[in-house]
Amino acid sequence: MNIQKRIVEKKIEKRAYINGRYVDAIDKEIIQKTSSIDGSDLSGIASCKKEDVDIAVQAAKEAFESGIWSKTTHAHRKEVLLHLAALMEKNRETLALLDTYETGRAYKNYYEDSIPKAIEALRYFAESIDKYYDVSIPSDTTEFGIIKKVPLGVVGLITPWNDPMVVSAWKYGPALAMGNSVILKPAEQSSLSAIFLAGLTKEAGIPDGVFNVVPGYGETAGKALALHKDVRGIFFTGSSEVGKKIMTYAGESNMKKVGLECGGKGPYIVTESCKNVKESAKVLSDNMFYNQGQICSAPSRVIVSENKYDEFMKALKVECERYVPGDPFDDENNVGCVVSREQYNKIKKYIEEGVSSGADVYQATGEKKHHKDACCIKPTIISDIDATSKLAREEIFGPVVVVLKAKSTEDAISIANDSNYGLAGAIWTDDLNEAFYVANRVEVGLLHINSYGNDDNRSPFGGVKESGLGKDKSMYAFDEYSDLKSIWVHIKK
Ligand code: NAD
């Protein structure tokens, strides 16, 4: 498929979307980048700066204060958001195409899994908003209270490139449902689907100024949004390093509410009591190697009981063959490229460090066709290393899993918790007591027992420690995009 041609034919919009109109950045600058699929030039998306962000915030603020969206009924907002979900469904192919074009992830994976998940998440928030209640403090004769959940106002959403439509839907879904005005700053590596989505929001009936997209670099557009005094909440998904900066920007400006979904190095524990070791290796591969391992919650730190180790390694080497990367636009392939040459080099460096440190480094052996300049990395298993080594502790964000040995279940728990991160993890065991004992002890926001990654929209998602604060998904997400306001009533006798 000639993608460049199809993108041109589809007249894909590359400008910012502010106050209901597509506009160039004021200084007309564009984002410069090349494709990780074939090295071709992908430059052209508007590169917004502080001046553009200021205009978007002003429009969002005016829209919020006018009540054109913020004061509409829950039923109205539900109907419009369901309409938006239907339009996304209708344009599923385009959304998948744009995300593949920019990020190199397999089209099949976007079309069959990621875009449907984003639509499902939006539908969940739309359907839930009229089931989300305020509460009251029971009255006595003269006094009672009402605790209301009120929208924040203008909220900024900053998203990463690894799953553009899902991560943004987890944020603009509850934010819009609550009545906020939104400014979305997508990652510079993957902005086209967000820009396209903006056009769909208009068609769905979201009023001008309520949903805005300001593409641009993090240090310019992202920083300006996070520092803006009229932005009342900043909700970020990305690296822990940038997450910490976001907290600083909030403190330096107006103490805006902060939500952070950051990195991870998910512990995946397989104990002596696990009877189905093969299944544990299969589920690990399914969650570790799709999208070339560029998944925040990837179970990238496996901790296996000594007496199950050989059996597990044998099974994992077989399972990882199902995730050999190839041309992302080939419908046969479930795995494409990593997002950029820069990311490719970073991952390769980690693998080289493994080799030079004397660790056991194994790579899948299969081959699939792809362009000679494609940034593809085969599933890689690193073992025989120290649990405290850099490779075992840092987030690689690539198809590289580290396997460590544990002497006992206590040892596995202590290795699991010896980490700056705490996003998601798993315990594989056939001992029910051990399953809950470990689940209670491991420091993560989401712990799977004998499974991984199958939590649905009802389950909150977000980490502890340097994996972030606050939650995406579930009814709890509405709490993030609102404030509690208490109204105390005195009744005259
Ligand atoms: P990143 O932190 O480099 O960038 C994320 C976003 O922040 C981008 O939009 C970027 O432009 C912006 N940004 C960068 N510097 C900024 C600054 N100074 N001020 C404001 N905004 C700034 O992350 P990435 O490389 O795009 O994504 C990969 C990271 O995201 C990984 O660490 C991964 O674990 C994490 N992630 C976490 C989750 C989660 O839900 N916890 C989900 C997906 C990805």
Side-chain angles (χ1 to χ4, degrees):
M1 162 177 355
N2 183 336
I3 304 306
Q4 285 284 11
K5 193 162 163 264
R6 284 191 62 180
I7 296 281
V8 173
E9 275 168 7
K10 279 182 178 280
K11 295 195 174 50
I12 289 303
E13 188 55 76
K14 294 184 175 177
R15 293 175 292 173
Y17 182 80
I18 298 175
N19 205 11
R21 287 174 49 230
Y22 283 111
V23 290
D24 286 318
I26 291 173
D27 62 9
K28 303 266 189 275
E29 276 193 24
I30 53 169
I31 293 172
Q32 307 284 346
K33 58 182 181 177
T34 53
S35 166
S36 65
I37 304 174
D38 58 9
S40 60
D41 185 21
L42 296 188
S43 306
I45 294 169
S47 176
C48 293
K49 312 275 162 35
K50 182 179 179 305
E51 304 76 60
D52 307 285
V53 169
D54 286 347
I55 294 171
V57 173
Q58 186 57 30
K61 190 179 171 197
E62 282 169 19
F64 183 78
E65 286 170 357
S66 76
I68 194 166
W69 178 255
S70 56
K71 292 191 180 139
T72 54
T73 63
H74 290 79
H76 173 75
R77 297 203 293 272
K78 170 178 172 173
E79 193 186 318
V80 172
L81 293 177
L82 286 176
H83 187 188
L84 177 60
L87 290 171
M88 287 172 76
E89 184 88 63
K90 197 171 143 198
N91 289 280
R92 183 169 150 196
E93 192 203 70
T94 303
L95 290 167
L97 185 69
L98 294 176
D99 278 344
T100 299
Y101 174 69
E102 275 192 293
T103 67
R105 177 169 171 175
Y107 174 82
K108 183 183 163 77
N109 190 251
Y110 272 125
Y111 186 78
E112 290 179 2
D113 187 47
S114 171
I115 305 298
K117 271 192 184 141
I119 297 167
E120 212 179 295
L122 180 57
R123 287 205 174 111
Y124 171 85
F125 291 120
E127 288 288 358
S128 302
I129 191 61
D130 56 1
K131 285 115 196 146
Y132 182 72
Y133 294 111
D134 288 340
V135 289
S136 76
I137 299 168
S139 57
D140 53 34
T141 28
T142 57
E143 315 285 328
F144 77 99
I146 303 166
I147 305 169
K148 281 172 70 73
K149 285 143 183 171
V150 294
L152 299 173
V154 179
V155 297
L157 315 177
I158 302 180
T159 52
W161 44 262
N162 66 325
D163 208 345
M165 285 291 97
V166 170
V167 175
S168 59
W170 286 356
K171 298 189 185 308
Y172 70 73
L176 289 174
M178 281 306 298
N180 297 286
S181 290
V182 161
I183 300 178
L184 171 61
K185 205 303 278 176
E188 48 273 40
Q189 297 88 343
S190 63
S191 306
L192 291 178
S193 55
I195 294 171
F196 182 82
L197 177 77
L200 301 184
T201 64
K202 185 154 186 139
E203 202 181 330
I206 294 179
D208 294 353
V210 172
F211 184 88
N212 306 273
V213 180
V214 288
Y217 294 104
E219 278 292 339
T220 49
K223 185 173 175 180
L225 191 58
L227 277 171
H228 204 293
K229 288 204 174 210
D230 286 331
V231 172
R232 295 289 179 84
I234 189 85
F235 298 89
F236 166 86
T237 296
S239 61
S240 303
E241 188 193 340
V242 177
K244 289 176 187 174
K245 289 189 187 174
I246 300 287
M247 290 185 95
T248 310
Y249 300 150
E252 281 173 3
S253 52
N254 60 344
M255 277 182 156
K256 53 178 70 67
K257 196 170 181 181
V258 176
L260 303 172
E261 296 292 346
C262 300
K265 186 89 175 174
Y268 191 90
I269 301 174
V270 181
T271 75
E272 201 176 336
S273 314
C274 172
K275 290 192 185 135
N276 202 341
V277 171
K278 259 193 187 164
E279 179 68 9
S280 75
K282 177 186 176 296
V283 172
L284 175 80
S285 283
D286 292 341
N287 288 278
M288 179 60 230
F289 296 126
Y290 84 93
N291 193 15
Q292 288 268 275
Q294 300 165 118
I295 314 144
C296 55
S297 54
S300 52
R301 204 159 43 107
V302 183
I303 306 160
V304 191
S305 159
E306 275 175 345
N307 68 351
K308 297 283 175 179
Y309 185 82
D310 292 345
E311 187 186 353
F312 181 86
M313 288 298 275
K314 195 171 159 209
L316 185 59
K317 286 175 183 173
V318 174
E319 292 297 340
C320 74
E321 292 298 333
R322 293 183 292 118
Y323 289 92
V324 170
D327 175 4
F329 281 109
D330 184 334
D331 284 341
E332 296 295 308
N333 292 339
N334 57 350
V335 186
C337 316
V338 299
V339 72
S340 62
R341 179 61 58 185
E342 187 192 4
Q343 185 70 6
Y344 174 89
N345 291 339
K346 192 180 135 203
I347 300 166
K348 282 280 184 190
K349 203 165 157 226
Y350 275 112
I351 298 174
E352 279 154 21
E353 265 180 53
V355 174
S356 61
S357 72
D360 192 349
V361 178
Y362 176 87
Q363 282 203 306
T365 55
E367 291 293 341
K368 284 199 171 158
K369 236 175 89 182
H370 53 68
H371 192 277
K372 65 175 178 34
D373 295 325
C375 299
C376 292
I377 301 179
K378 286 187 187 175
T380 306
I381 305 164
I382 301 187
S383 55
D384 206 9
I385 56 163
D386 196 281
T388 59
S389 65
K390 194 175 154 194
L391 280 163
R393 295 179 69 85
E394 292 185 5
E395 183 186 44
I396 299 174
F397 220 56
V400 183
V401 68
V402 168
V403 186
L404 306 164
K405 276 186 199 169
K407 292 189 183 65
S408 62
T409 301
E410 278 307 322
D411 188 30
I413 295 169
S414 93
I415 295 171
N417 288 342
D418 184 18
S419 170
N420 294 339
Y421 295 113
L423 187 53
I427 158 85
W428 283 75
T429 176
D430 280 82
D431 176 338
L432 185 67
N433 193 64
E434 182 181 60
F436 280 96
Y437 177 71
V438 174
N440 287 335
R441 296 270 312 273
V442 175
E443 297 167 350
V444 288
L446 172 62
L447 196 283
H448 297 276
I449 296 177
N450 295 332
S451 66
Y452 208 84
N454 46 355
D455 48 300
D456 64 29
N457 283 309
R458 294 168 297 175
S459 177
F461 184 83
V464 297
K465 301 199 266 188
E466 292 183 25
S467 288
L469 49 101
K471 296 286 177 256
D472 278 336
K473 292 171 65 188
S474 83
M475 298 289 268
Y476 292 98
F478 294 126
D479 295 347
E480 303 287 331
Y481 296 92
S482 58
D483 265 331
L484 285 182
K485 181 172 191 172
S486 297
I487 299 178
W488 194 256
V489 184
H490 173 72
I491 303 165
K492 284 184 198 159
K493 281 187 198 155

